[in-house]
Amino acid sequence: MYDPTRLAALVAVSEAGSITRAAQRLGYTVPALSQQLAKLEREAGTALLVRHHRGARLTGAGEVLVETARRVLDEMARARHELARLAGLSGGRLRLGTFTTAGMHLLPPALTAFRRAHPDVELTVAGYEPPLGVAAVAAGTVDVALTHTYAPSEPVAVPSSVVQEPVLVEELVLVTAPGQALTAGTAGTTRLPPAELAGQALISMAPNHPPRQGVEAALARAGATPSVLVETPSYALVCALVSAGLGVAVVPEMVARMSATPLGVRHLEPGDLRRTVSVVHRADDTNPAVDSFRALLRGAFGRSSH
């Protein structure tokens, strides 16, 4: 039997593309995560990863085990959710924190399922843009929060009292006004090399949105020129400005898909600009409502990159 913690570590590396980024997401040190992966390879009796200068990739055996690991971890999450449901949860409360896009697109269906399973639990929801949700959980202001990190980015320290679990990894995509040459016609069906952004007017969320600063720096290196600065984090506003033809932007795929304004969309090469959505809770929390909600999220999003 494989250790679920080690299986989760392998899944994280497959999604992050490197051991360093996976360690940041899971709250491990790189040596500690490497040790877990080495133990898993010994259990499997074969190499699961190929390390290279840009990160790590799965071997054929690693790909097979990751697909199985995802199913195992999702089944375990559903089992925890069902056990919590059978335990009753006939009272108590669940205080949730969320950032804007998760609150609009991810949280409502999850809360609908939670309410159906636990109608007597009192629910409260508050808005916390990352990394404030992590601080709110650490302070006990909320029981659980949805937060996010971007790649590339500088690692953000997470308090030792807090556990951060990735539930969704998505690419960042280029969005333009409808019909714009970069995304129109057959051009929109292939990935765009970042060098093609040179000279493009970029609607930027830096410098006042720290989680995005690494992404903005990567776009600047590609030659994109900041044209409009959106100083308050608001993807709805960014998409509206793009749709009006004021520039292009790079946003999470979910944001592009759910935009209220029409957009042209195109994936970028090599697909390494990403956002990871995580659920955060206190390590010592014994609230069964938190366990049930976390299990529900893991089952709903299945650690998928889409």
Side-chain angles (χ1 to χ4, degrees):
M1 295 294 290
Y2 296 116
D3 186 305
T5 301
R6 294 168 194 158
L7 292 177
L10 184 65
V11 171
V13 173
S14 74
E15 292 173 347
S18 84
I19 294 174
T20 299
R21 289 194 293 270
Q24 291 169 3
R25 293 178 185 180
L26 296 174
Y28 290 173
T29 64
V30 172
L33 184 58
S34 297
Q35 186 180 51
Q36 291 296 322
L37 294 168
K39 290 179 179 177
L40 183 61
E41 288 183 318
R42 286 197 294 272
E43 290 175 344
T46 186
L48 302 174
L49 292 167
V50 175
R51 283 79 166 171
H52 52 84
H53 70 282
R54 296 186 60 187
R57 64 175 176 81
L58 295 172
T59 64
E63 291 176 354
V64 170
L65 187 55
V66 160
E67 290 305 310
T68 302
R70 286 197 176 102
R71 291 194 295 269
V72 169
L73 294 169
D74 293 343
E75 285 299 322
M76 291 177 66
R78 280 190 283 271
R80 284 191 291 267
H81 176 60
E82 182 63 15
L83 289 172
R85 185 187 67 79
L86 293 174
L89 284 179
S90 58
R93 66 176 181 174
L94 181 63
R95 300 169 300 168
L96 298 166
T98 183
F99 60 96
T100 303
T101 51
M104 293 173 61
H105 303 307
L106 299 180
L107 197 58
L111 284 183
T112 297
F114 183 88
R115 174 63 82 198
R116 190 181 300 120
H118 313 299
D120 297 325
V121 175
E122 176 187 333
L123 292 173
T124 61
V125 181
Y128 291 95
E129 290 300 321
L132 299 180
V134 176
V137 170
T141 306
V142 296
D143 301 307
V144 62
L146 287 171
T147 189
H148 62 56
T149 56
Y150 285 80
S153 66
E154 292 296 322
V156 178
V158 175
S160 59
S161 61
V162 167
V163 177
Q164 184 168 293
E165 301 176 60
V167 293
L168 178 69
V169 181
E170 58 179 338
E171 282 190 39
L172 304 187
V173 296
L174 176 71
V175 290
T176 72
Q180 207 258 23
L182 286 176
T183 56
T186 58
T189 64
T190 60
R191 287 185 176 270
L192 180 73
E196 296 295 317
L197 294 176
Q200 292 292 326
L202 179 70
I203 297 176
S204 169
M205 296 181 71
N208 293 328
H209 189 39
R212 286 260 323 192
Q213 288 175 351
V215 171
E216 300 284 343
L219 296 175
R221 289 192 295 273
T225 305
S227 173
V228 179
L229 295 179
V230 178
E231 296 190 354
T232 301
S234 171
Y235 276 126
L237 175 57
V238 168
C239 290
L241 296 177
V242 169
S243 184
L246 293 173
V248 303
V250 172
V251 304
E253 195 166 11
M254 176 178 63
V255 170
R257 189 169 62 247
M258 302 292 188
S259 174
T261 51
L263 300 168
V265 179
R266 189 168 179 184
H267 286 82
L268 298 169
E269 288 183 353
D272 57 353
L273 300 182
R274 296 185 174 191
R275 180 173 75 165
T276 299
V277 179
S278 299
V279 59
V280 180
H281 63 95
R282 289 187 301 281
D284 60 355
D285 201 323
T286 58
N287 184 348
V290 171
D291 289 341
S292 179
F293 184 72
R294 287 166 45 218
L296 189 153
L297 283 177
R298 287 193 297 268
F301 303 122
R303 295 174 166 50
S304 173
S305 59
H306 299 285

